[in-house]
């Protein structure tokens, strides 16, 4: 089959043609990786071949070494690493040849390809000629397009490589080439490529940034670039400065005066895109300082608190308030000014969270002077400014101001300008979120009525913000959801009726108003009081009716987009059913049980990850609510459940299906046993798989505990296999202790293992079969000590450790006395008493240890 034709067919809108082409490509890669990749490279690098074919070949090559899923990425890397070295050299030579192509589409794609493959091979010294070739391309007399593509390549490589794995000389050469290309003697195309590459390299050049002379060199080049005549270069230069203050906050203080002058000048005089980015610079500093403040409050900090925002806020705030007046109504045309106003509001919000009450005196004069302005720009700006500062000041300071503002905000929901109404709705939503106590019972009926009317507004932006306000108003009642009545009872029936109408508006897909309406319904149901139970029943019936309609036959003329939208609708409806199930009593749910289960199972007849996920969640809540009554549905739910456990591609569905296994186990106890063999078969496949997303594996391990606790002593049949898996999982160590995601994963994995051991030991002991575990106690206790001595262990892991120690002591007594008296164990349990959430468990475990140790005397 002609390779060029196959690549084109792989982009075909015809499912059959595209499927055949993809199958051919996948088969060729699996069976002839090296030769086929070389053939693709030849197609990619050969001048004279059609440009589109070359670009498609290059993109396909890039996809052979990139993946968002870490497991898939590792498999792709291993395949490349195992490729015949001779063929690899030919392939890499072809990549470099493609980089020289005069076609911009081809050489741009080549830069991406070399960035991905070079990022792997160059640090390992497996591509020694790569950097000299790129540096030669940049400094030599080649055409501008090749220089640009080579700079892009360096940027992509820097984005991929760990600076710790690259020689310092090579890092310096890369940085010198990039910064040197920023010279004003070069044309704007080269300078733009250089500033983009520098942006990608900022994390990579961390060692250089720690040296003042080199830091000065980098910042001088960037600051000069902010004065370029090219908008693109100025924009990217400010993006670099923004990234720098995020990465190197503690080292920026010596440059802040110069950066203040550059950014404020840009805010006042530059084009909208650059203005927005200059404002983002200050937002990033504020967010960085908020992180530092949070660390200080937790008695830990990795950076000094430089108080940059406290010092800069006073002159900055007037610029931000002015930025809020630059908005352009959508009816007047789309304009970049909308980014200026949103950036200004975001920055103002971040500043308010730092300077707290001091933001009031700096903004209130502007707000009061303009909130009733005849110019809608200033009316809207003042309302947005008020909404933006609400997260910072104290309740006591803002409550009287909010009380004065609320009647104006309520009236603004009827403004003639949609943007004013939208901002009023947003600001009211923030009042409900941050200062609910400022809403008096006198004003509440007026507010609710105004929001109800706003739901009928012809502009979907206004409707979306009204839904958000209702959602947040419902959240304000979360502590009163078990009361006989609460504020929501005053308006729940009429508001739900309105929201259901909104969800079916002809323009439901604009501004996300369908999603916003159903999310508001969810929160209203969740926090409704006991006197609204019948209303919740009515909502359940209406939601089931809507779900049934959505599950009707699909017309042959239904587009892919319409099908996707219907699946999203089913997801919202399943979520609302979940809330109703959680709210209502078991006897009420049983009256509708068959219909609920029937419709939820029908959802699985349509392939939709998001709908399946929410349907599984609803089934989990349903099982929890009706308990042993769920046994009658076990055979029916088994099929979709097992398919969910096999859904590695849509791993969130797989994770939720595992959670449902736990829900069913807790609901049915021993009655769940008929499906345990099949469930455990697929759980074990998940744990043995190298293709499933690793985040699923802790959930899979937790099911061992769920099943063991449900079937008790009968779990004996699975012990040898399960313990083998747990022992293997116990050996997993972090590959990078500086990677927060890696540490988080290890903690989740270890907690699930501890949880599994706890459930297994507890369940076997209740059937007097605890001695089955004795041969494994040494490895279990060794794992506990390993976890206990890990400085990066989470509170959940500590809780799991302490609980398991107590269970082992209780079940095995004097047989584990050496373990219980181990200094690591004693110290860990004692230290855990300082954590409030664990203190009760810790005292129980201490008592078990003391009783056991005393029994020896």
């Amino acid at each position: 089959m002609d390779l060029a034709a196959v690549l084109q067919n792989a982009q075909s809108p015809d499912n059959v043609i595209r499927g055949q082409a993809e199958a051919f490509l996948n088969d060729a890669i699996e069976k002839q990786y090296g030769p086929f990749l070389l053939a693709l490279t030849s197609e990619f690098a050969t001048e004279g071949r059609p440009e589109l074919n070359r670009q498609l070949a290059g993109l396909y090559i890039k996809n052979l070494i990139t993946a968002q899923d870490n497991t898939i990425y590792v498999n792709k890397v291993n395949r490349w690493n195992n490729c015949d070295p001779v063929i690899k050299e030919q392939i890499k030579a072809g990549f470099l040849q493609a980089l020289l192509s005069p076609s911009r589409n081809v050489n741009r794609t080549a830069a991406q390809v070399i960035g991905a493959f070079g990022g792997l091979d160059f640090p390992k010294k497996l591509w020694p000629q790569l950097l000299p070739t790129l540096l030669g391309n940049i400094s030599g007399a080649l055409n501008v397009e090749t220089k640009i593509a080579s700079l892009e390549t360096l940027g992509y490589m820097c984005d991929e490589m760990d600076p710790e794995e690259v020689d310092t000389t090579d890092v310096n050469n890369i940085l010198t080439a990039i910064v040197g290309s920023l010279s004003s003697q070069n044309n704007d195309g080269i300078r733009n490529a250089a500033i983009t590459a520098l942006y990608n390299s900022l994390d990579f050049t961390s060692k250089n940034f720690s040296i003042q002379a080199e830091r000065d060199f980098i910042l001088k080049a960037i600051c000069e670039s902010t004065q370029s005549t090219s908008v693109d270069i100025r924009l990217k230069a400010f993006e670099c400065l923004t990234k720098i203050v995020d990465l190197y906050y503690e080292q920026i203080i010596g440059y802040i005066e110069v950066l203040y002058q550059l950014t404020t000048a840009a805010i006042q005089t530059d084009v909208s895109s650059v203005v927005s980015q200059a404002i983002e610079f200050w937002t990033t500093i504020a967010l960085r300082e908020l992180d530092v403040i949070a660390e200080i409050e937790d008695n830990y900090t990795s950076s000094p608190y430089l108080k940059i925002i406290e010092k800069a806020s006073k002159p900055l705030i007037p610029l931000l308030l002015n930025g809020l007046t630059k908005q352009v109504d959508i009816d007047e045309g789309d304009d970049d000014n909308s980014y200026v106003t949103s950036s200004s509001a975001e920055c103002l919000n971040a500043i308010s969270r730092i300077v707290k009450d001091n933001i009031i005196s700096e903004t209130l004069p502007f707000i009061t002077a303009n909130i009733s302005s005849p110019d809608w720009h200033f009316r809207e700006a003042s309302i947005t400014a008020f909404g933006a500062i609400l997260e910072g000041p104290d309740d006591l300071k803002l409550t009287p101001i909010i009380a004065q503002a609320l009647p104006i905000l309520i009236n603004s929901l009827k403004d003639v300008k949609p943007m004013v109404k939208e901002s009023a709705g947003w600001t009211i939503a923030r009042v409900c979120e941050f200062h609910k106590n400022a809403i008096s019972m006198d004003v509440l009926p007026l507010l609710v009525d105004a929001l109800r009317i706003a739901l009928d507004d012809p502009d979907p932006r206004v409707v979306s913000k009204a839904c958000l306000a209702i959602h947040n108003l419902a959240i304000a009642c979360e502590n009163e959801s078990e009361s006989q009545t609460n504020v929501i009872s005053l308006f729940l029936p009429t508001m739900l009726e309105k929201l259901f109408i909104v969800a079916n508006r002809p323009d439901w897909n604009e501004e996300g108003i369908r999603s916003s309406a159903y999310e508001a319904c969810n929160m209203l149901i969740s926090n409704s009081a006991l006197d609204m139970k019948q209303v919740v029943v009515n909502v359940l019936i209406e939601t089931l009716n809507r779900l049934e309609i959505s599950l009707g036959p699909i017309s042959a003329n239904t587009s892919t987009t319409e099908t996707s939208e219907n699946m999203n609708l089913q997801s919202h409806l399943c979520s609302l059913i979940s809330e109703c199930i959680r709210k209502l009593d078991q006897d009420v749910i049983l009256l509708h049980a068959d219909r609920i289960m029937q419709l939820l199972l029908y959802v699985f007849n349509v392939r939709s990850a998001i709908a399946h996920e929410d349907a599984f969640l609803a089934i989990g809540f349903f099982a929890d609510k009706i308990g042993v009554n769920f046994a009658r549905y076990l055979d029916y739910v088994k099929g979709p459940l097992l398919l969910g456990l096999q859904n590695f591609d849509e791993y969130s569905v797989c994770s939720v299906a595992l959670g449902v296994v736990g829900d069913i186990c807790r609901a049915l106890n021993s009655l769940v046993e008929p499906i345990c063999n099949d469930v455990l078969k697929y759980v074990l496949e998940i744990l043995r798989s190298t293709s499933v997303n690793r985040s699923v594996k802790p959930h899979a391990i937790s099911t061992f505990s769920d099943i063991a606790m449900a079937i008790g002593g009968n779990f004996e049949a699975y012990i040898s296999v399960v313990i083998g898996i747990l022992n293997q999982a116990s050996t997993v160590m972090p590959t990078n202790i500086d990677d927060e995601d890696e540490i988080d994963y290890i903690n989740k994995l270890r907690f699930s293992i501890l949880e599994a051991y706890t459930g297994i030991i507890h369940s076997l002991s209740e059937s007097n079969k605890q001695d089955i575990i004795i041969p494994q106690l040494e490895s279990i206790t060794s794992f506990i000590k390993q976890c206990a001595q890990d400085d990066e262990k989470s509170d959940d892991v500590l809780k799991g450790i302490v609980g398991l120690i107590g269970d082992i002591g209780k079940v095995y007594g004097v047989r584990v006395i050496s373990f219980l008296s181990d200094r690591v164990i004693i110290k860990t349990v004692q230290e855990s008493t300082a954590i409030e959430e664990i203190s009760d468990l810790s005292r129980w475990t201490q008592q078990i240890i003391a009783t056991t140790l005393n029994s020896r005397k």
Side-chain angles (χ1 to χ4, degrees):
M1 186 180 290
D2 179 58
L3 184 54
V6 174
L7 290 168
Q8 289 184 8
N9 288 344
Q11 311 300 313
S12 172
D14 186 299
N15 291 337
V16 175
I17 295 174
R18 186 174 66 253
Q20 290 173 343
E22 289 173 348
F24 174 86
L25 292 169
N26 292 337
D27 185 65
I29 284 295
E30 287 296 326
K31 295 178 179 178
Q32 304 180 66
Y33 178 80
F36 187 63
L37 181 51
L38 181 60
L40 284 167
T41 304
S42 176
E43 183 73 22
F44 178 41
T46 302
E47 295 297 330
R49 299 293 294 164
E51 183 179 282
L52 176 60
N53 292 355
R54 297 178 69 188
Q55 188 177 8
L56 289 174
L59 292 173
Y60 190 82
I61 291 168
K62 176 175 172 283
N63 289 336
L64 291 176
I65 202 65
T66 58
Q68 292 183 343
D69 184 279
N70 185 64
T71 303
I72 297 173
Y73 174 71
V74 169
N75 290 338
K76 289 183 176 183
V77 169
N78 289 337
R79 192 160 52 187
W80 168 249
N81 289 340
N82 294 327
C83 183
D84 184 306
V86 175
I87 294 178
K88 284 176 75 171
E89 289 304 310
Q90 293 175 299
I91 290 169
K92 289 187 282 191
F95 293 167
L96 291 172
Q97 183 63 38
L99 193 69
L100 300 175
S101 174
S103 165
R104 188 69 187 101
N105 286 331
V106 173
N107 64 43
R108 182 190 291 118
T109 305
Q112 296 173 19
V113 169
I114 298 171
F117 283 87
L120 284 172
D121 281 4
F122 181 72
K124 301 173 186 175
K125 302 187 182 302
L126 298 176
W127 201 345
Q129 71 273 32
L130 175 57
L131 186 57
T133 300
L134 295 174
L135 297 180
N137 290 349
I138 293 167
S139 62
L142 296 175
N143 59 55
V144 169
E145 287 76 12
T146 300
K147 293 177 184 288
I148 290 172
S150 297
L151 284 165
E152 289 172 340
T153 304
L154 289 178
Y156 292 135
M157 286 174 61
C158 290
D159 206 26
E160 294 288 336
M161 295 187 297
D162 182 346
E164 298 296 328
E165 297 177 355
V166 181
D167 289 346
T168 300
T169 302
D170 290 331
V171 174
N172 291 338
N173 287 336
I174 291 171
L175 186 60
T176 300
I178 292 173
V179 176
S181 297
L182 287 171
S183 169
S184 58
Q185 296 177 359
N186 288 319
N187 70 27
D188 284 350
I190 292 174
R191 295 181 69 199
N192 189 39
I195 194 70
T196 303
L198 182 57
Y199 178 87
N200 289 333
S201 72
L202 286 172
D203 200 3
F204 176 74
T205 54
S206 55
K207 285 185 179 179
N208 304 80
F209 226 87
S210 66
I211 302 169
Q212 181 167 346
E214 297 190 34
R215 187 165 65 242
D216 290 346
F217 173 64
I218 296 169
L219 280 165
K220 181 176 182 293
I222 297 172
C223 290
E224 289 175 352
S225 296
T226 66
Q227 306 305 300
S228 169
T229 56
S230 165
V231 172
D232 289 340
I233 294 173
R234 294 201 306 274
L235 176 61
K236 187 59 72 173
F238 280 112
E239 287 178 3
C240 284
L241 292 176
T242 301
K243 189 172 182 178
I244 286 169
V245 296
D246 187 38
L247 292 173
Y248 309 113
Y249 164 78
E250 63 276 7
Q251 295 168 330
I252 207 69
I253 191 66
Y255 310 90
I256 202 65
E257 289 187 16
V258 172
L259 299 178
Y260 173 82
Q261 296 298 330
L262 290 173
T263 52
T264 54
I267 290 170
Q268 294 175 79
T269 62
D270 217 321
V271 298
S272 297
S273 58
V274 179
V275 171
S276 296
Q277 189 56 53
I279 293 171
E280 180 66 23
F281 170 87
W282 290 102
T283 304
T284 302
I285 293 179
L287 294 175
R288 188 70 180 81
E289 293 202 325
L290 284 167
D291 288 340
V292 176
I293 291 169
E295 289 177 353
I296 292 171
E297 291 173 350
D298 290 339
N299 297 316
Y300 163 79
T301 179
S302 57
S303 301
Y305 178 32
L306 303 178
K307 300 184 178 181
I308 295 173
I309 291 298
E310 286 187 26
K311 298 168 186 174
S313 62
K314 198 160 188 174
L316 268 178
I317 289 171
L319 300 180
L320 299 174
L321 294 173
N322 184 59
L324 292 175
T325 67
K326 304 301 181 183
Q327 70 280 67
V328 174
D329 198 326
I330 193 170
D331 297 332
E332 299 174 14
D334 192 11
D335 191 271
D336 285 342
N337 279 346
S338 61
Y339 296 111
V340 174
T341 56
S342 61
S343 298
S344 298
E346 184 181 358
C347 190
L348 197 59
N349 169 247
I351 290 173
S352 79
R353 293 166 60 195
I354 292 176
V355 303
K356 303 291 185 180
D357 294 348
N358 292 332
I359 196 77
I360 297 175
S361 60
E362 299 298 326
T363 57
L364 198 57
F366 174 87
I367 294 168
T368 54
N370 294 294
I371 200 163
S372 299
S373 171
D375 186 333
W376 76 266
H377 296 84
F378 287 86
R379 284 201 310 278
E380 194 276 338
S382 64
I383 292 171
T384 299
F386 189 52
I389 69 167
L390 288 174
E391 197 172 352
D394 184 78
D395 243 350
L396 292 176
K397 290 283 186 180
L398 271 183
T399 292
I401 299 172
I402 292 172
Q404 292 180 338
L406 270 175
I408 300 174
L409 292 173
I410 291 169
N411 191 56
S412 296
L413 287 171
K414 306 170 188 174
D415 199 280
V416 294
K417 295 299 294 185
M419 285 190 70
V420 176
K421 291 187 285 186
E422 178 188 10
S423 296
W426 175 74
T427 300
I428 289 169
R430 289 176 65 81
V431 168
C432 295
E433 182 177 4
F434 299 114
H435 301 281
K436 61 182 180 182
N437 294 328
I439 305 172
S440 69
M441 290 304 294
D442 292 335
V443 172
L444 181 64
L446 299 175
L447 174 60
V448 170
D449 193 53
L451 292 173
R452 180 183 57 80
I453 294 171
L455 292 176
D456 289 327
D457 198 277
D459 194 307
R461 294 172 299 172
V462 178
V463 176
S464 176
K465 297 304 185 293
C467 288
L468 177 63
I470 294 164
H471 177 275
N472 289 353
L473 187 59
I475 290 178
C477 296
E478 62 184 346
N479 295 327
E480 303 167 5
S481 60
E482 297 302 318
S483 303
Q484 183 57 38
T485 190
N486 63 23
V487 166
I488 294 176
S489 300
L490 300 175
F491 58 84
L492 184 64
T494 54
M495 197 62 80
L496 286 169
E497 182 180 355
K498 280 286 186 182
L499 289 168
F500 270 122
I501 292 172
V502 168
N504 276 357
R505 276 175 52 142
D507 58 351
W508 60 264
N509 59 340
E510 295 185 29
E511 300 295 326
I513 60 174
R514 171 182 278 174
S515 296
S516 298
Y518 278 122
E519 286 167 9
C521 287
N522 286 345
M523 195 54 63
L524 286 169
I525 294 297
S526 178
N527 292 336
S528 62
L530 299 178
D531 60 352
M532 291 289 106
K533 289 290 181 73
Q534 186 53 52
V535 174
V536 178
V537 172
N538 296 340
V539 169
L540 174 61
I541 294 171
E542 172 62 21
T543 308
L544 291 171
N545 290 341
R546 292 188 175 209
L547 182 58
E548 186 171 16
I549 292 170
S550 76
L551 292 166
I554 299 175
S555 167
N557 298 323
T558 302
S559 68
T560 302
T561 300
E562 289 172 327
T563 301
S564 176
E565 290 169 349
N566 196 53
M567 293 174 183
N568 285 328
L569 171 60
Q570 290 167 7
S571 173
H572 290 308
L573 294 171
C574 288
S575 180
L576 186 50
I577 289 169
S578 291
E579 291 298 338
C580 293
I581 290 171
R582 294 172 68 186
K583 198 69 184 176
L584 295 171
D585 297 328
Q586 184 189 86
D587 58 338
V588 177
I589 293 299
L590 286 173
L591 295 174
H592 305 275
D594 286 354
R595 190 173 183 222
I596 291 172
M597 198 62 199
Q598 181 183 47
L599 291 173
L600 290 176
L601 290 174
Y602 279 158
V603 172
F604 295 101
N605 292 337
V606 180
R607 182 173 177 80
S608 168
I610 185 171
H612 289 187
E613 189 173 338
D614 285 301
F616 272 134
L617 288 170
I619 288 172
F621 290 127
F622 181 69
D624 178 67
K625 180 67 67 173
I626 69 172
V628 294
N629 295 290
F630 190 82
R632 66 178 297 190
Y633 305 110
L634 191 60
D635 287 341
Y636 300 100
V637 80
K638 176 182 173 181
L641 183 61
L642 296 181
L643 288 174
L645 295 176
Q646 298 171 72
N647 195 345
F648 293 180
D649 291 336
E650 296 157 335
Y651 63 88
S652 61
V653 175
C654 188
S655 292
V656 174
L658 288 164
V660 173
V661 170
D663 294 326
I664 295 174
C665 286
R666 287 183 287 275
L668 297 184
N669 292 316
S670 61
L671 295 177
V672 77
E673 195 162 357
I675 69 167
C676 285
N677 279 339
D678 290 325
V679 167
L680 282 168
K681 171 187 172 184
Y682 292 113
V683 170
L684 293 172
E685 284 189 12
I686 291 170
L687 293 170
R688 290 166 177 156
S689 172
T690 58
S691 61
V692 69
N693 187 287
R694 70 177 185 176
S695 66
V696 177
K697 297 198 174 186
H699 298 289
I701 289 173
S702 292
T703 61
F704 293 148
S705 176
D706 295 326
I707 294 173
M709 294 292 286
I711 66 176
N714 290 341
F715 195 76
E716 177 184 3
Y718 310 109
I719 283 293
S720 60
V721 174
V722 169
I723 292 295
I725 289 287
L726 293 177
N727 285 338
Q728 185 178 355
S730 299
T731 64
V732 177
M733 302 293 287
T735 55
N736 181 1
I737 59 173
D738 295 324
D739 186 337
E740 291 183 5
D741 291 338
E742 181 76 9
I743 297 301
D744 181 58
Y745 170 71
I746 293 296
N747 276 320
K748 288 178 178 176
L749 184 68
R750 288 179 176 174
F751 176 69
S752 69
I753 296 168
L754 294 164
E755 190 178 40
Y757 281 135
T758 299
I760 291 168
I761 290 172
H762 181 80
S763 62
L764 291 176
S765 67
E766 289 194 338
S767 301
N768 201 29
K769 295 182 177 182
Q770 64 272 17
D771 287 357
I772 297 170
I773 297 296
I774 286 179
Q776 309 299 329
L777 280 178
E778 184 176 352
S779 62
I780 294 173
T781 54
S782 176
F783 174 66
I784 292 172
K785 290 171 67 175
Q786 174 190 331
C787 293
Q789 293 172 302
D790 183 2
D791 293 336
E792 299 294 335
K793 63 180 176 291
S794 65
D795 287 351
D796 279 343
V797 169
L798 182 58
K799 182 178 180 180
I801 292 169
V802 173
L804 182 53
I805 292 169
D807 281 328
I808 289 174
K810 181 180 179 182
V811 172
Y812 297 103
V814 294
R815 288 185 286 184
V816 291
I817 207 160
S818 61
F819 166 68
L820 296 178
S821 58
D822 187 286
R823 63 179 184 82
V824 172
I825 299 304
I826 297 295
K827 180 183 177 184
T828 301
V829 175
Q830 287 175 343
E831 290 179 348
S832 69
T833 57
I835 301 175
E836 185 178 351
E837 294 80 5
I838 308 176
S839 57
D840 289 344
L841 177 64
S842 178
R843 282 190 287 271
W844 174 78
T845 297
Q846 285 180 312
Q847 185 178 4
I848 294 291
I849 293 173
T851 301
T852 305
L853 296 181
N854 288 335
S855 68
R856 182 179 57 176
K857 297 177 182 178

